[in-house]
Amino acid sequence: MLSRAATKTTTSLVSRRGFHATRARMSSPYHYPEGPYTNIPFNPKSKWFGLGYWSFMATGFFAPFGIAVYQSYKA
């Protein structure tokens, strides 16, 4: 009986909440563009993206090996 009353109260509170479905105003200084590729800090459609991407990945992969060789020759 107690749980039925709690459920009824919870559902009535949720149904009374007034969510607005209005569009964001574009004149607001806090609104950013939406859509694909707008939330990343680089342009994947540029001419040099592939080269930059694979150089970044290669550097991250081979850096530990280069550091290990350096440490081995240093000792």
Side-chain angles (χ1 to χ4, degrees):
M1 188 154 184
L2 183 61
S3 65
R4 192 178 299 170
T7 305
K8 193 174 205 177
T9 305
T10 305
T11 55
S12 66
L13 286 175
V14 171
S15 64
R16 275 191 279 159
R17 292 175 69 185
F19 289 113
H20 297 285
T22 57
R23 224 176 130 221
R25 293 182 184 165
M26 297 305 273
S27 62
S28 170
Y30 302 107
H31 182 75
Y32 298 100
E34 297 176 359
Y37 304 115
T38 57
N39 61 342
I40 52 178
F42 49 85
N43 182 13
K45 295 181 178 182
S46 73
K47 181 178 178 180
W48 301 104
F49 174 72
L51 179 65
Y53 174 80
W54 286 112
S55 343
F56 181 77
M57 292 295 149
T59 302
F61 180 78
F62 289 113
F65 297 107
I67 293 168
V69 168
Y70 172 75
Q71 292 291 331
S72 297
Y73 282 126
K74 190 172 86 169

